[in-house]
Amino acid sequence: MSKPPHRFWDEDDKSDSFEKYSKIRKREKGKSRASDLTTKFEVPESQWEINDSGGYFAARVVEVHKRYAFVSLEADLGTIKTNDVWLATIARKHLTARREQRNFVCVGDRVLCRPALEDELASTSELPQCMVEALAPRRTRLARRDPMTPEREHVLCSNVDQLAIVASFLMPQVKWGLIDRYLVLAESEEIRPIIVLNKRDLLEEDSGFRAKCAERIGVYQSLGYEVYCMQANAKGATRDSVTKELAAVLKGKITAFSGHSGVGKSSIINLFKPELVQAVEPDEEILYKGRHTTSYASFLKLGGGGYVIDTPGIRSFLIREDSPINLTHCFVEMRPFLGKCAFRECRHVDEPNCMVMAAVESGKISGWRYKSYLGLLLGTTGRQGRTRDLAVEEP
Ligand SMILES: Nc1nc2c(ncn2[C@@H]2O[C@H](COP(=O)(O)OP(=O)(O)OP(=O)(O)O)[C@@H](O)[C@H]2O)c(=O)[nH]1
Ligand SMILES: [Mg+2]
Ligand SMILES: [Zn+2]
């Protein structure tokens, strides 16, 4: 998996403690992944038996509905024939397991399918029909938790290489805390984050808000994150240099687009000539009605190469990295201080001789990023944290 061109910690000392914590993290991560593999439904691809006589074939889930999904043929890994779409249902024998999951499959999943038999046909459909027999373990995943049933996890999409974190400067106003939360998710899944700030046209010249945005963008860039500022609905936006730069970043990769409703995710994707043009409500009023224009995630092939997953706007999602070590690791500017505080288990909250807090005080770590860290650390632990998971406090 390719890494962004420049990362903050590249030039930093890869100290013993850093290596040590990296190992601990890997081990913990392995544990949480192993629990995903408890059902017969999840089978590594190396064990798939694709024999042509049974008509078995590998496919990619491109859209998920309540009772069925759409899948596209994927003979070679990475070559998804998005114009060869099948209506897929899950083989009945798998339907009792995995209750903790809201969906059995999600967009981006690699699945093993076979053509449906006569008595398995779901309904009259123009499309050929198939049964999903196995799911490949997910390489990466974007998940969120249902606030009413926090033990249930809803995986929004899987196996993406990159995460485009989309926000608009205004209408709705950018939530920096949400961006930080997404960045933690990307770091923890080890996927490349791309920050896209849209609706540049709504920024007033010389406003204090504009200056604040510039300062925050500068901090993200200094951490090695790419930030693209654009106006997706501008005339000639497809030919804009920012659009071209972004197109180059999307090429050859699978990128999920995520962010609040109404920030312009679908409008941006439409600039890249997707196979299917995404619906966009021209009326800004959708923001006030709280309606989502995109109602389910879909997998799209771009004209210039690469695939994107357009997701409906979301407000919150689950963060796995709720231990101080893991969370510190996901705030890249804190990595150099891992294991250097006086207390081995330092949470960097109120402990004496904390190197992270010292770095905040000396200005090495920005105060608002540190506040985001505190919000995530204290807000995602314990029962209270589960409900607080919903409201992203603005640092
Ligand atoms: N002023 C301004 N409006 C924009 C811009 N880009 C998109 N819009 C408008 O913002 C509204 C929402 O855009 P969408 O692309 O549907 O947003 P979305 O993020 O896909 O929203 P959901 O599908 O609900 O999650 C539409 O009315 C767009 O026309 C922009 O750069 N500037
Ligand atoms: Mg949309
Ligand atoms: Zn500390």
Side-chain angles (χ1 to χ4, degrees):
M1 208 179 305
S2 70
K3 284 273 171 202
H6 157 77
R7 297 312 299 256
F8 172 73
W9 62 89
D10 281 349
E11 68 253 36
D12 266 299
D13 62 329
K14 289 222 163 150
S15 62
D16 287 353
S17 57
F18 181 90
E19 295 293 338
K20 201 171 76 201
Y21 280 110
S22 295
K23 270 189 199 143
I24 296 176
R25 246 181 63 78
K26 271 208 180 107
R27 214 165 47 223
E28 285 188 8
K29 222 170 158 157
K31 268 189 219 155
S32 60
R33 289 289 144 107
S35 64
D36 285 355
L37 289 163
T38 49
T39 65
K40 286 192 182 126
F41 187 47
E42 219 161 82
V43 180
E45 276 156 300
S46 58
Q47 291 166 30
W48 285 4
E49 288 172 20
I50 303 186
N51 51 23
D52 287 338
S53 57
Y56 280 73
F57 60 91
R60 180 79 66 158
V61 176
V62 295
E63 212 174 280
V64 176
H65 294 265
K66 247 199 185 113
R67 292 175 191 282
Y68 57 89
F70 292 126
V71 303
S72 282
L73 226 65
E74 187 181 6
D76 311 310
L77 201 58
T79 320
I80 303 158
K81 294 185 180 162
T82 44
N83 54 2
D84 192 348
V85 181
W86 293 60
L87 187 137
T89 37
I90 312 294
R92 207 167 289 141
K93 65 183 180 217
H94 295 305
L95 282 177
T96 49
R98 293 170 68 95
R99 286 250 166 113
E100 76 281 6
Q101 299 256 323
R102 229 161 81 173
N103 308 102
F104 278 84
V105 292
C106 65
V107 172
D109 276 345
R110 277 267 293 169
V111 286
L112 176 65
C113 302
R114 63 164 171 81
L117 303 172
E118 196 72 37
D119 63 342
E120 290 171 330
L121 293 176
S123 60
T124 45
S125 161
E126 307 266 292
L127 296 173
Q129 294 190 29
C130 64
M131 306 299 286
V132 179
E133 287 289 341
L135 166 73
R138 292 164 176 154
R139 198 162 45 81
T140 61
R141 39 190 265 159
L142 287 183
R144 73 178 217 104
R145 217 166 241 178
D146 196 321
M148 303 310 285
T149 48
E151 66 285 357
R152 265 213 214 167
E153 209 180 41
H154 180 202
V155 184
L156 296 166
C157 58
S158 68
N159 302 325
V160 298
D161 304 309
Q162 319 187 111
L163 172 65
I165 304 165
V166 189
S168 48
F169 285 106
L170 289 162
M171 305 264 281
Q173 188 167 329
V174 50
K175 301 255 187 311
W176 306 101
L178 186 65
I179 293 179
D180 287 336
R181 185 172 281 241
Y182 273 118
L183 288 172
V184 167
L185 180 70
E187 292 295 343
S188 102
E189 292 291 313
E190 292 174 4
I191 58 181
R192 174 182 177 175
I194 301 147
I195 302 170
V196 183
L197 292 168
N198 191 33
K199 309 200 184 183
R200 198 179 44 194
D201 53 304
L202 301 181
L203 272 183
E204 276 172 40
E205 293 289 334
D206 297 328
S207 68
F209 177 66
R210 193 188 181 110
K212 180 178 172 177
C213 291
E215 183 267 328
R216 300 209 164 187
I217 290 168
V219 169
Y220 288 128
Q221 286 171 331
S222 74
L223 297 177
Y225 294 125
E226 300 147 83
V227 185
Y228 297 89
C229 301
M230 61 193 301
Q231 184 193 347
N233 73 348
K235 259 199 185 134
T238 42
R239 293 183 305 278
D240 194 84
S241 62
V242 178
T243 310
K244 282 186 181 149
E245 275 175 53
L246 209 44
V249 171
L250 302 178
K251 200 169 180 175
K253 298 278 191 302
I254 300 177
T255 311
F257 275 66
S258 201
H260 261 298
S261 185
V263 296
K265 298 179 291 297
S266 300
S267 307
I268 295 167
I269 288 171
N270 284 343
L271 299 177
F272 304 111
K273 303 189 177 63
E275 219 163 27
L276 296 168
V277 174
Q278 301 305 286
V280 170
E281 292 259 350
D283 186 1
E284 295 275 358
E285 273 189 24
I286 55 164
L287 295 179
Y288 306 108
K289 290 185 209 141
R291 201 166 81 210
H292 291 202
T293 307
T294 305
S295 47
Y296 44 81
S298 51
F299 198 98
L300 305 156
K301 190 185 236 162
L302 300 181
Y307 303 90
V308 296
I309 299 177
D310 188 12
T311 67
I314 56 166
R315 278 202 186 80
S316 78
F317 48 84
L318 164 88
I319 283 187
R320 285 168 176 242
E321 310 294 332
D322 50 4
S323 77
I325 290 178
N326 286 343
L327 198 58
T328 306
H329 195 272
C330 292
F331 276 79
V332 293
E333 63 270 62
M334 296 187 185
R335 283 185 193 183
F337 306 104
L338 268 168
K340 292 194 177 153
C341 302
F343 286 94
R344 211 161 62 92
E345 307 278 319
C346 188
R347 298 171 308 147
H348 328 303
V349 176
D350 49 14
E351 293 84 350
N353 294 325
C354 166
M355 299 310 284
V356 169
M357 282 192 276
V360 174
E361 232 144 76
S362 71
K364 268 192 196 156
I365 291 178
S366 94
W368 56 268
R369 282 276 293 171
Y370 175 64
K371 272 192 191 159
S372 274
Y373 164 81
L374 287 183
L376 286 174
L377 179 74
L378 306 173
T380 49
T381 45
R383 191 187 269 174
Q384 190 198 358
R386 291 266 162 84
T387 47
R388 275 221 266 153
D389 187 40
L390 263 186
V392 179
E393 207 185 306
E394 263 317 278

